[in-house]
Amino acid sequence: MKIAALAGGIGAGKFLRGLTRVTPGPDLTVIVNVADDFVVHGLHVSPDPDSVTYWLGDVFDRDRGWGRRNESFRATEELATIDRDVAWFALGDLDLATHLFRTGRLAAGASLSEVTATIARRFGVRARVIPATDDPIETRIECVDQLTGDPLDLHFQEYWVRRTARDLVKGIRYDGVSHAAPAPGVLGSIAEADIIVVCPSNPVVSIGPILAIPGVRDAVTSRRGAAVGISGIVGGGPVSGMADKLMPAAGIEVTAAGVAEHYRELVSAWLLDDVDRDLVPRVESLGMRCAATDTIMVDDDRAEAVARAALALLT
């Protein structure tokens, strides 16, 4: 069974650990958001592809919630002794190797797809991990400084990491997306998949940029009958992250049903958490199959159970 999954970072990574038990190897293609990519200290950092790769390669730090397990931060700590302000984005020492390799290969003319595939192989990942596009795109957060009231236009990482999501969000846009093209393999994997999965990722800054790339939304919409989504909103809030601060600005209700409605043209089935079981009839009224289960993926066994429950809605 061939599966194409649209994915962001941590929530997707947890889920994909379970999905690879159901569909191991290259029959699983993971199409990953790259609108969070940015340059730090001259290095090209790809947070979502790296997070997905580290999860699938079983080197992700589950306790800290980001980066690699058994990581150290000596370089970042030393940088902070020189100028703390420039050390706001903590790059781990092991993680630096990934970014150094990526930056060098891109400068030599390799595509982001080629580099991502090489890094995935290094960590023993057998699934295909594809950036949504090889072209530069960037999620920008239009917001207001909570203290001064001044308008701000921030890269997502500045909003989320540097300013800890404290500013009032007014709008979100995806710079460069109208001129971007799907990376090689993106449209083909969607067309050829037996099932398409929208992972439990932030619908605004993880899945939104993927769907905004010309041709991708239409490709998924045309396969709606074979597409299922998993809610990352549980009990009226995100399991992790700041989706609840961004969704209202994008016109999305912060409930599992609200996200289902946002995806109603893209998926025909929706899996939500047991605590939101009373929302099943509302989701079904949107013309979707819907079921509830325990979606809190505390370990790989639970992630596998969530993956099987999602696929069961279409099989």
Side-chain angles (χ1 to χ4, degrees), residues 10 14 51 54-55 58-71 73 239-240 297-300:
I10 296 172
K14 289 182 180 181
S51 181
Y54 293 162
W55 271 106
D58 196 23
V59 297
F60 191 85
D61 192 312
R62 294 171 182 256
D63 295 329
R64 189 173 60 243
W66 56 273
R68 288 184 59 177
R69 191 165 57 245
N70 301 321
E71 183 65 279
F73 294 87
V239 176
S240 63
M297 294 172 283
V298 295
D299 55 30
D300 290 348

Side-chain angles (χ1 to χ4, degrees), residues 32 76 84 86-87 92 94 96 129 139 149 160 196 201-202 209 250 261 271 276:
V32 191
T76 295
R84 181 166 295 278
V86 302
L94 294 173
L96 274 170
V129 180
T139 295
W160 171 230
I196 298 158
S201 302
N202 188 314
E261 186 167 9
L271 185 69
D276 294 314

Side-chain angles (χ1 to χ4, degrees), residues 1-5 23 26-29 128 188-197 223 226 311:
M1 178 170 57
K2 292 184 177 181
I3 296 178
T23 302
D27 282 344
L28 172 60
T29 298
R128 297 172 66 204
S189 65
I190 293 170
E192 297 167 7
D194 297 300
I195 292 179
I196 298 158
V197 177
R223 301 295 318 283
L311 299 182

Side-chain angles (χ1 to χ4, degrees), residues 47-313:
D48 281 1
D50 289 347
S51 181
V52 165
T53 298
Y54 293 162
W55 271 106
L56 291 175
D58 196 23
V59 297
F60 191 85
D61 192 312
R62 294 171 182 256
D63 295 329
R64 189 173 60 243
W66 56 273
R68 288 184 59 177
R69 191 165 57 245
N70 301 321
E71 183 65 279
S72 60
F73 294 87
R74 293 186 65 187
T76 295
E77 290 164 359
E78 180 65 17
L79 179 61
T81 69
I82 303 170
D83 186 345
R84 181 166 295 278
D85 189 57
V86 302
W88 62 270
F89 194 87
L91 297 178
D93 301 325
L94 294 173
D95 203 26
L96 274 170
T98 299
H99 308 319
L100 286 165
F101 174 78
R102 178 186 295 111
T103 303
R105 293 293 296 126
L106 291 175
S111 69
L112 187 58
S113 294
E114 293 168 334
V115 177
T116 301
T118 300
I119 294 170
R121 285 195 297 272
R122 176 264 178 266
F123 289 101
V125 177
R126 295 180 60 226
R128 297 172 66 204
V129 180
I130 304 177
T133 179
D134 285 334
D135 298 317
I137 61 175
E138 184 176 302
T139 295
R140 303 291 303 186
I141 307 298
E142 300 163 6
C143 52
V144 176
D145 188 299
Q146 190 178 48
L147 297 177
T148 68
D150 294 334
L152 299 171
D153 189 333
L154 305 173
H155 186 283
F156 170 71
Q157 296 296 341
E158 293 179 291
Y159 164 78
W160 171 230
V161 181
R162 188 170 196 171
R163 298 180 63 85
T164 63
R166 66 178 182 264
D167 303 300
L168 178 63
V169 178
K170 294 293 187 179
I172 302 99
R173 69 178 193 275
Y174 312 124
D175 281 2
V177 76
S178 62
H179 302 294
V186 168
L187 297 183
S189 65
I190 293 170
E192 297 167 7
D194 297 300
I195 292 179
I196 298 158
V197 177
V198 179
C199 292
S201 302
N202 188 314
V204 180
V205 296
S206 293
I207 304 300
I210 300 174
L211 295 172
I213 297 166
V216 175
R217 176 178 285 274
D218 287 346
V220 177
T221 300
S222 70
R223 301 295 318 283
R224 180 181 182 272
V228 59
I230 300 92
S231 179
I233 301 295
V234 174
V239 176
S240 63
M242 80 321 291
D244 54 328
K245 297 189 176 185
L246 300 173
M247 290 167 61
I252 307 171
E253 178 186 294
V254 187
T255 65
V259 183
E261 186 167 9
H262 179 64
Y263 291 146
R264 65 185 303 174
E265 296 179 356
L266 302 166
V267 304
S268 61
W270 189 246
L271 185 69
L272 43 71
D273 192 82
D274 280 329
V275 303
D276 294 314
R277 185 177 292 276
D278 61 337
L279 295 175
V280 169
R282 178 178 164 188
V283 175
E284 290 177 336
S285 74
L286 300 172
M288 296 180 181
R289 291 179 286 266
C290 186
T293 190
D294 176 6
T295 62
I296 306 303
M297 294 172 283
V298 295
D299 55 30
D300 290 348
D301 289 340
R302 177 90 309 256
E304 179 182 355
V306 173
R308 290 190 182 280
L311 299 182
L313 283 165

